[in-house]
Amino acid sequence: QVQLVESGGGLVQAGGSLRLSCADSGRTATIYTMGWFRQAPGKEREFVGAISRSGAVTYYTDSVKGRFTIARDNAKNTVYLQMNSLKPEDTAVYYCAATQKVGALDNTGAYEYWGQGTQVTVSS
């Protein structure tokens, strides 16, 4: 079974940095494409970025390009979201997700497994 656990969220000032981690507690072989999503209160869950199985290819939504970076350590079954130059509008609960499927990976429906999220709050 795939069990995803996010960590690293917290409160940070605008312009600061934060690194989120997503660990597969089941130690399953890393054969999954991994995605990051976020959801602010009263808003729909939105795509942030994704990373290929090998970690060689990444894909980001326009609003975070140049500020956020996704990386993975397959030996540790862990994926990271490095967030720099944070803005108040980045405030949300951040979720990691995993899929073995091929499809539109910027869509929540493409993902088979989800973590429970970690809160990121960016103050002005």
Side-chain angles (χ1 to χ4, degrees), residues 34-48:
M34 300 295 296
W36 285 95
F37 292 78
R38 64 187 181 186
Q39 187 168 22
K43 297 183 179 180
E44 295 182 356
R45 190 169 299 185
E46 64 178 355
F47 175 74
V48 175

Side-chain angles (χ1 to χ4, degrees), residues 17 66 75 80 92:
S17 298
Y80 304 94

Side-chain angles (χ1 to χ4, degrees), residues 77-93:
N77 285 343
T78 301
V79 64
Y80 304 94
L81 179 64
Q82 177 67 47
M83 304 184 293
N84 298 326
S85 301
L86 282 162
K87 305 174 181 179
E89 51 263 44
D90 295 318
T91 296
V93 176

Side-chain angles (χ1 to χ4, degrees), residues 12-90:
V12 64
Q13 292 182 318
S17 298
L18 205 61
R19 187 177 76 164
L20 306 184
S21 299
C22 176
D24 176 6
S25 61
R27 297 292 189 270
T28 304
T30 52
I31 58 175
Y32 305 98
T33 297
M34 300 295 296
W36 285 95
F37 292 78
R38 64 187 181 186
Q39 187 168 22
K43 297 183 179 180
E44 295 182 356
R45 190 169 299 185
E46 64 178 355
F47 175 74
V48 175
I51 188 167
S52 64
R53 298 177 183 184
S54 69
V57 180
T58 54
Y59 171 47
Y60 305 94
T61 192
D62 286 344
S63 63
V64 307
K65 287 181 179 178
R67 299 189 298 120
F68 291 10
T69 303
I70 301 173
R72 67 190 302 166
D73 184 343
N74 285 348
K76 297 182 178 180
N77 285 343
T78 301
V79 64
Y80 304 94
L81 179 64
Q82 177 67 47
M83 304 184 293
N84 298 326
S85 301
L86 282 162
K87 305 174 181 179
E89 51 263 44
D90 295 318

